[in-house]
């Protein structure tokens, strides 16, 4: 893995820096402009990896460019996983630079009766602009949405992003 990039002082705000760094990572690790576009399209439109095996999708790509390479779901999964790991490192670095962080959480149950919890971080950057980043949306593998279950999910996310508990000034949840 590449090392975490240094943040420049010339960027307007931290979210723009994070977006540029992630786009740079995807472009750097995608060997062709075609793969870069494919990965960006898949992530922006929430496409499943199996779309690359779809016959009609492959026919469309060949019609657009007969020399376009076909990638397997496993090849793209490797690139997406690398981007995800790098993205977590970038966010961890960004949050580590903040003086204080507020966390928000939202829990809900899907129509299929599966519980989920989302966690976001909020902070004011050095230019006094409010910033936020979604840290995780994960299944809540318990039947109750009680305080111990929610706290355990929050601690898991905080550990993953190496959030110093002393920097957390508020945690807001709807439960």
């Amino acid at each position: 893995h590449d090392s975490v990039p240094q943040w420049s002082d010339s960027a307007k705000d931290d979210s723009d820096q994070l977006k540029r760094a992630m786009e740079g990572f995807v472009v750097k690790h995608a060997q062709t402009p075609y793969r870069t576009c494919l990965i960006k399209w898949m992530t922006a439109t929430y496409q499943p990896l199996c779309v690359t095996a779809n016959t009609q999708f492959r026919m469309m790509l060949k019609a657009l460019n007969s020399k376009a390479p076909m990638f397997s779901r496993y090849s793209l999964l490797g690139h997406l996983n690398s981007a995800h790991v790098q993205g977590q490192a970038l966010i961890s670095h960004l949050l580590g630079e903040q003086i204080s962080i507020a966390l928000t959480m939202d829990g809900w149950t899907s129509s299929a009766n599966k519980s989920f919890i989302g966690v976001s971080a909020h902070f004011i950057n050095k230019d006094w602009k409010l910033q936020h980043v979604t840290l995780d949306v994960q299944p809540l593998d318990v039947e109750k949405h009680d305080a111990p279950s929610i706290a355990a999910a929050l601690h898991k996310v905080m550990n993953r992003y190496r959030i110093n508990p002393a920097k957390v000034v508020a945690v807001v949840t709807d439960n």
Side-chain angles (χ1 to χ4, degrees):
H1 297 286
D2 296 332
S3 62
V4 175
Q6 297 299 311
W7 300 98
S8 70
D9 293 330
S10 63
K12 284 190 171 186
D13 62 31
D14 296 321
S15 64
D16 286 343
Q17 271 184 319
L18 181 61
K19 288 175 190 173
R20 281 194 307 277
M22 283 305 300
E23 285 175 2
F25 177 81
V26 170
V27 170
K28 181 178 179 182
H29 291 277
Q31 296 171 353
T32 65
Y34 164 75
R35 186 181 297 166
T36 300
C37 289
L38 180 58
I39 289 172
K40 284 183 178 183
W41 172 77
M42 289 181 71
T43 56
T45 60
Y46 306 104
Q47 296 297 318
L49 291 172
C50 65
V51 74
T52 62
N54 180 280
T55 303
Q56 297 302 317
F57 178 76
R58 286 176 171 256
M59 286 173 50
M60 178 187 66
L61 292 180
K62 285 295 183 188
L64 293 171
N65 180 354
S66 62
K67 296 180 182 180
M70 294 293 135
F71 299 105
S72 72
R73 67 189 324 174
Y74 303 105
S75 171
L76 291 175
L77 181 60
H79 290 284
L80 289 169
N81 282 338
S82 295
H84 177 74
V85 168
Q86 183 71 11
Q88 279 188 329
L90 290 167
I91 292 168
S92 293
H93 179 76
L94 175 65
L95 293 175
E97 292 181 333
Q98 305 312 310
I99 295 169
S100 58
I101 301 167
L103 299 172
T104 57
M105 303 175 65
D106 186 29
W108 70 93
T109 303
S110 73
S111 59
N113 206 30
K114 295 188 180 204
S115 297
F116 293 90
I117 192 160
V119 181
S120 297
H122 310 265
F123 56 91
I124 297 173
N125 70 7
K126 63 184 176 275
D127 297 323
W128 291 93
K129 292 183 183 175
L130 180 61
Q131 303 293 308
H132 61 90
V133 62
T134 301
L135 300 177
D136 201 356
V137 176
Q138 63 180 327
L140 192 58
D141 297 328
V142 293
E143 292 185 24
K144 292 183 181 179
H145 293 199
D146 59 1
S149 302
I150 292 169
L154 178 62
H155 285 262
K156 183 178 169 183
V157 172
M158 288 177 65
N159 288 336
R160 185 178 316 123
Y161 286 93
R162 298 186 311 265
I163 297 173
N164 180 348
K167 290 185 174 189
V168 178
V169 295
V171 177
V172 179
T173 184
D174 64 350
N175 283 11

